[in-house]
């Protein structure tokens, strides 16, 4: 059985490698929901390829237009693949840290309740 | 399957958020009760891995791409559908807020589809299929496939209610694409479960532990 610390290191290294691999190897193009949107708007046939200039039409069903700090997993125009790698590694670290922080906080609260 | 803000009226987004919040509350209760010091970092690593692998789109044919969602994986490994809700909620918050992958007003719907429906379908179909097949791999593969396919149909119905997709065309397109993407979900889920069982069988959740112990 692998020790927790070793598994943590292996798991995080694997996550970072997968994230970096995604920058170089992941397939571009619409995902399932975007492809379905292209089909229902007549821009793509059901089983055919997505036209290179096909754009997913945003129906604008609500007035919210949130602009994320790192759209499309990138630090911004001109940051290229390095920007994507940094953005994804940051996302991995933040997800790991957030789960760790929240679960530790919840455990701490449970211990406090048990002591009362 | 990440629904953007523009695909849904605000009022409907609020309704899905309200439903999702109930499950998020229950998932926090699960995390408080079921987590111990040994499992916490491993759950965090699993979440980080799911975040990473969600960014890795693979070709699914028919001009579309897909990636692992991870609802079935989280629920099966940690032995509770609420594990999927807990992990997918955090992953979807990071993706939506930082990277614009999925909307903010539609995040409740995305949590409901991928975390709640994906987690519950994945977990209970795994348990049922394991009783039938008596082997982890086919049960996990089929459960993960269902945990991709059923949320996609739910998203198609939500898109119909939102006035974004016609019902029939939406169901056919979403169903067809995610029926194929489900094979990616199934294959990665089986490999990940195998690796986790071989590395640390003790972290498999109590909800599935007894069933997979002999494999």
């Amino acid at each position: 059985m692998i020790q927790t610390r070793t598994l943590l290191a292996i798991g995080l290294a694997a996550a970072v490698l997968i994230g970096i691999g995604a920058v170089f190897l992941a397939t571009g193009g619409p995902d399932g929901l975007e492809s379905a949107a292209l089909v229902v708007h007549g821009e793509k046939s059901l089983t055919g390829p997505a036209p290179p200039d096909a754009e997913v039409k945003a129906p604008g069903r609500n007035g919210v237009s949130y602009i994320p700090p790192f759209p499309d997993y990138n630090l911004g125009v001109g940051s290229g693949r390095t920007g994507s790698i940094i953005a994804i590694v940051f996302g991995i670290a933040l997800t790991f840290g957030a789960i760790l922080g929240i679960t530790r906080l919840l455990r701490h609260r449970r211990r406090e309740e048990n002591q009362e | 399957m990440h629904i953007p803000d523009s695909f849904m009226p605000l009022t409907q987004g609020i309704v899905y958020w309200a439903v999702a919040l109930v499950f998020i509350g229950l998932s926090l209760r699960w995390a408080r009760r079921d987590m111990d010091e040994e499992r916490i970092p491993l759950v965090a690593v699993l979440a980080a891995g799911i975040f990473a692998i969600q960014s890795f789109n693979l070709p699914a044919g028919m001009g579309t791409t897909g990636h692992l969602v991870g609802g079935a994986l989280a629920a099966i490994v940690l032995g509770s559908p609420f594990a999927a809700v807990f992990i997918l909620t955090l992953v979807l918050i990071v993706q939506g807020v930082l990277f614009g992958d999925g909307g903010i007003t539609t995040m409740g719907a995305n949590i409901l589809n991928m975390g709640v429906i994906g987690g519950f379908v994945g977990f209970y179909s795994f348990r049922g299929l394991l009783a039938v097949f008596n082997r982890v791999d086919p049960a996990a593969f089929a459960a993960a496939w269902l945990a991709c396919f059923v949320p996609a149909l739910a998203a198609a119905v939500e898109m119909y209610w939102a006035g974004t997709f016609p019902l029939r065309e939406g169901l056919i397109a979403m169903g067809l694409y995610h029926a194929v993407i489900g094979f990616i979900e199934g294959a990665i889920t089986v490999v990940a479960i195998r690796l986790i069982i071989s590395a640390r069988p003790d972290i498999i959740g109590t909800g599935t532990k007894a069933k997979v112990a002999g494999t």
Side-chain angles (χ1 to χ4, degrees), chain A residues 54-77:
Chain A
E55 207 169 301
V56 178
K57 285 198 180 95
R61 303 250 174 252
N62 72 50
V64 176
S65 59
Y66 172 73
I67 298 167
F70 313 116
D72 296 324
Y73 298 91
N74 199 287
L75 297 186
V77 179

Side-chain angles (χ1 to χ4, degrees), chain A residues 39-112:
Chain A
V39 169
V40 300
H41 289 114
E43 291 198 47
K44 175 187 174 315
S45 69
L46 186 62
T47 55
D53 56 344
E55 207 169 301
V56 178
K57 285 198 180 95
R61 303 250 174 252
N62 72 50
V64 176
S65 59
Y66 172 73
I67 298 167
F70 313 116
D72 296 324
Y73 298 91
N74 199 287
L75 297 186
V77 179
S79 68
R81 282 179 166 165
T82 309
S84 295
I85 290 170
I86 294 169
I88 287 182
V89 171
F90 179 57
I92 290 167
L94 194 65
T95 306
F96 178 79
I99 295 270
L100 209 61
I102 291 169
T103 41
R104 288 242 157 94
L105 193 72
L106 291 168
R107 283 268 303 156
H108 185 67
R109 278 184 54 189
R110 189 176 77 174
R111 269 203 300 270
E112 280 181 348

Side-chain angles (χ1 to χ4, degrees), chain A residues 2 4 7-8 15 27-28 30-31 35 39 44 46-48 60-62 66 69-70 72-73 87 103 106-107 110 113, chain B residues 5-6 8-9 32-33 35 38 40 45 52 57 59 62 64-65 97-99 101 105 162-164 177 199-200 202:
Chain A
I2 298 173
T4 300
L7 191 64
L8 267 185
T27 310
D31 69 6
S35 283
V39 169
K44 175 187 174 315
L46 186 62
T47 55
R61 303 250 174 252
N62 72 50
Y66 172 73
F70 313 116
D72 296 324
Y73 298 91
T103 41
L106 291 168
R107 283 268 303 156
R110 189 176 77 174
E113 282 172 12
Chain B
D5 283 314
S6 59
M8 185 179 279
R32 200 163 68 145
R33 285 181 177 174
M35 289 297 97
E38 195 69 5
I40 287 172
V45 163
N57 275 48
M62 299 178 289
T64 192
T65 68
V97 173
L98 281 188
F99 305 110
D101 195 4
T105 60
T164 304
Y177 295 144
R200 284 296 292 266
D202 59 308

Side-chain angles (χ1 to χ4, degrees), chain B residues 11-212:
Chain B
T11 46
Q12 292 185 14
I14 292 169
V15 171
Y16 294 122
W17 252 121
V19 178
L21 279 173
V22 174
F23 285 93
I24 292 167
L26 292 169
S27 78
L28 290 174
R29 198 173 69 168
W30 165 83
R32 200 163 68 145
R33 285 181 177 174
D34 273 36
M35 289 297 97
D36 55 43
E37 288 301 324
E38 195 69 5
R39 288 178 91 204
I40 287 172
L42 303 172
V43 174
V45 163
L46 184 62
I50 287 174
F51 174 88
I53 214 158
Q54 279 208 11
S55 64
F56 209 132
N57 275 48
L58 295 165
M62 299 178 289
T64 192
T65 68
H67 58 73
L68 177 96
V69 175
L73 174 63
I76 293 168
V77 166
L78 297 170
S80 168
F82 290 108
V85 181
F86 183 65
I87 287 178
L88 265 295
T89 297
L90 256 299
V91 168
L92 286 164
I93 288 172
V94 172
Q95 288 175 332
V97 173
L98 281 188
F99 305 110
D101 195 4
I104 302 295
T105 60
T106 51
M107 199 181 285
N110 287 326
I111 291 168
L112 191 62
N113 293 338
M114 290 182 258
V116 177
I117 299 176
F120 275 79
V121 167
F123 181 72
Y124 287 105
S125 59
F126 173 73
R127 282 175 59 141
L129 289 163
L130 194 59
V132 175
F133 293 125
N134 217 21
R135 285 181 57 213
V136 170
D137 291 359
F141 185 93
W145 185 88
L146 283 169
C148 177
F149 184 68
V150 177
L153 297 183
V157 173
E158 290 157 13
M159 290 297 88
Y160 166 67
W161 284 331
T164 304
F165 289 0
L167 183 61
R168 188 171 169 273
E169 287 90 335
L171 281 171
I172 290 171
M174 286 293 281
L176 178 65
Y177 295 144
H178 290 89
V180 179
I181 294 167
F183 283 89
I184 297 172
E185 185 86 26
I188 297 175
T189 300
V190 168
V191 171
I193 287 173
R194 279 270 146 218
L195 287 172
I196 293 167
I197 289 175
S198 63
R200 284 296 292 266
D202 59 308
I203 67 160
I204 299 292
T206 49
T208 48
K209 199 172 205 165
K211 309 240 176 205
V212 301

